[in-house]
Amino acid sequence: MWSRLVWLGLRAPLGGRQGFTSKADPQGSGRITAQVIEHLERLALVDFGSCEAVARLEKAIAFADRLRAVDTDGVEPMESVLEDRCLYLRSDNVVEGNCADELLQNSHRVVEEYFVAPPGNISLAKLDEQEPFPHS
Amino acid sequence: MAAPMLRWVGRGRRWTFARVDGGSCHRREAPTGSTSNRIRGRSSVAQQPLYTTQKPRKGEHKWAAVVGLEIHAQISSNSKLFSGSQVRFSAPPNSLVSFFDASLPGTLPVLNRRCVEAAVMTGLALNCHINKKSLFDRKHYFYADLPAGYQITQQRLPIAVNGSLTYGVCAGKKQSQVIPKTVRIKQIQLEQDSGKSLHDDLRSQTLIDLNRAGVGLLEVVLEPDLSCGEEAATAVRELQLILQALGTSQANMAEGQLRVDANISVHHPGEPLGVRTEVKNLNSIRFLAKAIDYEIQRQINELENGGEILNETRSFHYQLGCTMSMRDKEGKQDYRFMPEPNLPPLVLYDATSLPAGADPQQVINIDQIRETLPELPSVTRERLVQQYGMLLEHSFTLLNEVGLLEFFQNVMKETRAEPKKVTSWVLNTFLGYLKQQNLAVSESPVTPSALAELLDMLDSRTISSAAAKQVFEELWKREGKTPGQIVSEKQLELMEDRGALEQLCHSMMEAHPQVVMDLKKGNPRAINKLIGLVRKATQSRADPAMIKEILEKKLSS
């Protein structure tokens, strides 16, 4: 788990998040706060194990920020590099499947043709306390 | 410092955890001044969606509930939304899974044409505007039954928007009036289903079956126009009927083909909306209504007692009849939506915009689909009313019961009795027997032909209506006899001999002079007693109307 260090002098222009429902906006521009890192770690299940990793993140954001130098007034944003392509429509026929054995080989643990996963709902912050989980 | 750890973070179906600092739920102040703690049982009549406390004082605040539904319907198709593996309800675990469904690297989504057609049909049937261009997005969250770590859905620009669903709520005395109501449809979008997880608490593990992963879903989002459990249940039932009529989904809630999540909040009319909770795990229409009504009442109770409502997810426990928190302490989830980079926009055409010489397999023509829409339930009901002269509420009953309409139409085909008679027998007698023994139409011991034969005999006055009921009861015993056989065995034919009947009436009158005296004194109801006696004597073989006529003639002479 990333241990919180005090950031001294590590400033980088922090680009605003582009996207849909960005919930944790950084407090002002400038630095990536501990809050943001924690939030990202939970969302992406990535461990920012060191300050070097966070520094790299800040550099990556700075790199992408250079896009702001481009004047995009009156230009429709691109949706994807495929946006002018035709979306291929497949006929509704069954052509795949029936490869359970092959797929299950990928799994570390298997029980009677089911994949085995750890039980759900272990909150990141609480390592010792296990909450009972709801049944789906 | 630990090595990077992956932690499974769990949730119930379609709810995820994640901690977002300072959840965005707005808190509602508890109403002051109201000291009444007892809440009167709710009224289930849809005309009154307001809830009041037990002792309403002048100017007492009423509560209004707001219910929004998110309905997921599994598309009825041979293969999945983005892959060619089969869609089937039960199969050996992980046997209906392709490499894409298991999210193996290097696989790409390929859109199933049938699913798009199903979405367009549903959108048209629900009066939606079909977006000629719609986009696919990725919705990210972690759960073991979502192998890719994201679900492909349509968040920015769904395939259909701004529709309406009209349903009929029973009201009035004896619930016989049908009041049409409408709920607006915010949008309809295509999205992937997730796999199934089986929790094995004993061994502290979860078993994952991906057969369902990738199956196409239609998510229908209703605006919060509903105000109680009954309205919600009726609206969902109507949607079920529409989807089944279109063939786009079998919409069987028990098999998980139709899933409903409800967003519920309460407020005082005129004030801003309250904090809403989300209720999940509703797998039948009956529980849907129960859960919503329970949650509304719970919120009212909580607020009246000075508590507050948390913006959380709750699960309905049908054995206890209550909703319980799913312990969502983490607040709202950030799904980090992004455009699906592997899918171009979905473009639909109509008759005017259809490009010339286009491959018909590769284009979807909205106008063509509109022309081939099958008859919708509301149109069917109208037609029944026009064609058979039945009341609107009868047509609702006919459509609401699985298989009943077909049964009715089969009887109509074979009998020459009047439609009104048939309607009455099917909806009252036949349906009554079914309900009493909790049977489905398909399990009925009485076939349409048998009922048709019985009604023919009634129509030709071969038997009286009382006798007909007797015959029906015999038929229900499943002894394999036809109505004709039962009638002759039990000698239930109507007495043809008027002379014999007149004699019987005469002797009955002689045997009960007191009743005759009553009648002559001017008590008209005493005649019923006489009629009853004569009927018993004839073993229900005489027409009561004729008996009455003869008796009256005798009395006046």
Side-chain angles (χ1 to χ4, degrees), chain B residues 293-335:
Chain B
D293 286 331
Y294 172 86
E295 179 62 17
I296 291 172
Q297 212 54 62
R298 184 195 76 84
Q299 289 193 8
I300 292 176
N301 290 351
E302 188 71 33
L303 291 172
E304 297 247 333
N305 289 337
E308 52 181 9
I309 307 296
L310 298 171
N311 179 2
E312 61 181 352
T313 306
R314 299 176 72 85
S315 169
F316 180 65
H317 291 248
Y318 63 90
Q319 298 104 327
L320 306 167
C322 67
T323 63
M324 299 195 352
S325 175
M326 281 170 126
R327 303 219 190 179
D328 183 13
K329 295 182 188 146
E330 316 285 6
K332 279 159 85 169
Q333 164 65 316
D334 179 352
Y335 292 115

Side-chain angles (χ1 to χ4, degrees), chain A residues 28-63:
Chain A
S29 69
R31 44 183 61 178
I32 301 180
T33 63
Q35 267 187 337
V36 172
I37 294 295
E38 225 177 274
H39 180 50
L40 282 176
E41 283 186 326
R42 271 175 190 73
L43 284 184
L45 292 187
V46 164
D47 184 24
F48 285 89
S50 61
C51 21
E52 283 83 15
V54 182
R56 192 171 305 135
L57 174 65
E58 293 190 335
K59 287 205 187 98
I61 293 174
F63 177 75

Side-chain angles (χ1 to χ4, degrees), chain A residues 20 92 96 98 109 113 117-118, chain B residues 8 79 84 94-95 205-206 337:
Chain A
F20 313 85
D92 187 27
E96 300 175 278
N98 267 317
R109 278 179 61 205
E113 296 179 318
Chain B
W8 290 110
S79 57
N94 293 307
S95 61
Q205 62 190 14
T206 302
F337 285 97

Side-chain angles (χ1 to χ4, degrees), chain B residues 461-468 470 487-497 500-501 504 531-547:
Chain B
R461 302 181 63 87
T462 312
I463 54 175
S464 69
S465 75
Q470 261 187 284
V487 167
S488 48
E489 268 178 38
K490 304 219 162 194
Q491 294 182 316
L492 292 168
E493 302 92 336
L494 266 177
M495 269 178 101
E496 300 290 311
D497 191 348
L501 192 57
L504 202 58
I531 297 176
L533 287 165
V534 175
R535 272 179 66 189
K536 260 220 273 205
T538 64
Q539 291 155 327
S540 289
R541 288 174 52 211
D543 180 10
M546 193 186 289
I547 300 176

Side-chain angles (χ1 to χ4, degrees), chain B residues 390-462:
Chain B
M390 65 174 73
L391 296 172
L392 188 62
E393 38 264 39
H394 294 162
S395 69
F396 268 89
T397 314
L398 270 181
L399 259 70
N400 262 342
E401 198 66 36
V402 177
L404 192 60
L405 177 62
E406 203 187 324
F407 185 91
F408 169 82
Q409 285 170 324
N410 286 341
V411 174
M412 282 303 305
K413 266 191 238 168
E414 293 188 40
T415 185
R416 20 160 234 279
E418 290 235 325
K420 295 216 164 137
K421 254 278 183 273
V422 180
T423 308
S424 169
W425 269 82
V426 169
L427 290 182
N428 297 326
T429 318
F430 178 65
L431 193 58
Y433 269 77
L434 281 178
K435 289 294 169 197
Q436 209 181 45
Q437 300 178 15
N438 207 7
L439 292 172
V441 174
S442 53
E443 298 165 316
S444 150
V446 176
T447 62
S449 316
L451 184 56
E453 190 185 329
L454 179 59
L455 291 175
D456 276 347
M457 285 201 279
L458 191 58
D459 187 60
S460 60
R461 302 181 63 87
T462 312

Side-chain angles (χ1 to χ4, degrees), chain B residues 158-178:
Chain B
I159 191 167
V161 291
N162 294 338
S164 66
L165 170 64
T166 306
Y167 58 100
V169 181
C170 291
K173 292 187 261 186
K174 298 185 197 172
Q175 305 283 295
S176 58
Q177 254 189 307
V178 174

